[in-house]
Amino acid sequence: MKKAILIIQCPDQKGIVAEVSRFLFTYQGNILEVDQHVDEEMGRFFMRASWELDSFALREDEISPRFQEEVAGRFGMEFSLHFNFPKPKMAIFVSKLSHCLFDILGRHHSGQLEVDIPLVISNHEDLRDVVLAFGIPFHHIPVTAQNKGEAENLQLELLEKHQVDFVVLARYMQILSRRFIQSFPNRIINIHHSFLPAFVGARPYHAAYERGVKIIGATAHYVTEELDAGPIIEQEVARVRHHNTVSELVQIGQDVEKVTLSKAIKYHLDRKVLPFRNKTIIFY
């Protein structure tokens, strides 16, 4: 089914839902989903609406200008229009850890993620065979302190060549430059453990074990120039007990990480995430 998705934000005021519904009804739109939220502190209205296109009376290229003229202009709306076709293109960046990569590729192979994956980029060779087994091209681009700029140039060239829409960092253990991040605003999704800022460094699970934590979590977020501080898309937690070993904490944590990341990807693909300032509105 071909469908359109309209994402709206504007100052809160009377009549918004009625006018959006009237617009879709006028042009014979069969509404599939409508969700809205009002941030009372900011006086801001947010809305997501999707509808079938087969019977819609406007061509795809006519919808935005007509909506601007008939509805958006009157309410001071900012809006974006999306379609569920063609499939968006997602690049995966990975280092050595495989749990998130396996989960994404498995869900993609089974049809759970409606997306094309034209390439996987890694700064190590370790996961080449895994990626090739799923029939996806693998590109090894080593990254060092000395060649980081050159490596990112190669990465960006590949992303442009394959017309990639967004990037997923599936435990990619490199910090992206400002230039790279600005090339994909709110289109780079990262996953990390939710021990931050308590247990930083390369061995967070070991430090958490020493501290005796009772909850392990993971956070998926959009990447911004401030490290690990971008708008949060999804978070999950799992409870642990005193008898769990370090290796068990790692396993539990990695299970949470991969599920959290895949949920965030799904929300992004379904256009259910609306970044606003440094947080997100999630239309479940």
Side-chain angles (χ1 to χ4, degrees):
M1 178 194 304
K2 288 187 174 182
K3 64 180 181 180
I5 302 167
L6 186 65
I7 308 293
I8 297 167
Q9 60 169 298
C10 63
D12 186 32
Q13 53 205 292
K14 294 180 180 178
I16 300 174
V17 176
E19 283 303 302
V20 172
S21 300
R22 181 203 58 77
F23 175 84
L24 297 178
F25 176 77
T26 298
Y27 296 104
Q28 303 173 41
N30 181 30
I31 298 175
L32 301 172
E33 293 178 298
V34 174
D35 193 6
Q36 64 270 342
H37 168 68
V38 176
D39 189 312
E40 295 182 358
E41 291 187 5
M42 294 186 295
R44 198 79 180 167
F45 176 88
F46 305 90
M47 182 176 182
R48 176 187 183 274
S50 67
W51 68 94
E52 290 184 35
L53 278 177
D54 291 343
S55 61
F56 203 54
L58 297 176
R59 297 193 313 268
E60 294 155 26
D61 61 347
E62 293 178 321
I63 299 173
S64 285
R66 194 69 62 88
F67 184 77
Q68 174 64 38
E69 177 185 348
E70 297 186 16
V71 182
R74 293 164 46 203
F75 290 93
M77 290 179 178
E78 299 175 27
F79 73 92
S80 58
L81 178 68
H82 310 276
F83 304 100
N84 67 338
F85 60 91
K87 289 182 181 180
K89 295 182 179 181
M90 174 181 76
I92 302 174
F93 280 44
V94 66
S95 290
K96 292 184 176 183
L97 295 175
S98 63
H99 57 288
C100 288
L101 176 68
F102 265 116
D103 192 71
I104 294 169
L105 296 181
R107 292 174 189 270
H108 175 257
H109 183 72
S110 66
Q112 293 182 41
L113 298 176
E114 290 292 326
V115 65
D116 288 332
I117 306 177
L119 76 165
V120 173
I121 294 176
S122 179
N123 56 327
H124 296 281
E125 284 277 9
D126 299 56
L127 299 174
R128 176 183 291 274
D129 290 345
V130 172
V131 175
L132 296 181
F134 283 89
I136 297 172
F138 179 91
H139 296 268
H140 174 222
I141 302 178
V143 180
T144 66
Q146 291 72 35
N147 79 335
K148 189 173 181 66
E150 180 183 351
E152 282 201 347
N153 287 338
L154 293 174
Q155 293 167 349
L156 288 169
E157 287 174 8
L158 283 170
L159 298 181
E160 182 178 3
K161 175 183 177 182
H162 291 280
Q163 298 180 313
V164 166
D165 296 297
F166 70 105
V167 174
V168 171
L169 308 182
R171 293 307 303 268
Y172 181 64
M173 309 306 288
Q174 292 288 326
I175 297 175
L176 301 179
S177 71
R178 178 180 183 181
R179 179 172 66 98
F180 194 109
I181 294 169
Q182 290 180 343
S183 299
F184 290 89
N186 291 323
R187 290 186 292 138
I188 305 173
I189 301 174
N190 184 43
I191 183 71
H192 67 65
H193 57 80
S194 287
F195 291 139
L196 293 174
F199 303 112
V200 298
R203 293 163 62 86
Y205 289 103
H206 294 74
Y209 174 80
E210 294 295 331
R211 185 63 179 83
V213 301
K214 304 305 181 196
I215 292 177
I216 284 178
T219 298
H221 65 94
Y222 288 121
V223 175
T224 59
E225 294 174 39
E226 186 177 356
L227 184 63
D228 291 332
I232 294 171
I233 305 170
E234 177 68 359
Q235 292 179 302
E236 293 283 349
V237 297
R239 185 164 291 278
V240 297
R241 300 178 65 185
H242 60 273
H243 61 67
N244 289 123
T245 64
V246 173
S247 62
E248 288 173 338
L249 292 186
V250 171
Q251 182 61 64
I252 295 169
Q254 290 183 349
D255 286 345
V256 177
E257 288 172 12
K258 64 186 182 183
V259 171
T260 304
L261 180 57
S262 288
K263 283 185 177 181
I265 294 170
K266 178 66 173 172
Y267 294 153
H268 181 86
L269 289 173
D270 291 343
R271 305 289 182 178
K272 292 190 173 182
V273 186
L274 173 55
F276 183 72
R277 297 180 180 174
N278 199 46
K279 63 181 182 179
T280 58
I281 309 299
I282 307 294
F283 298 106
Y284 291 106

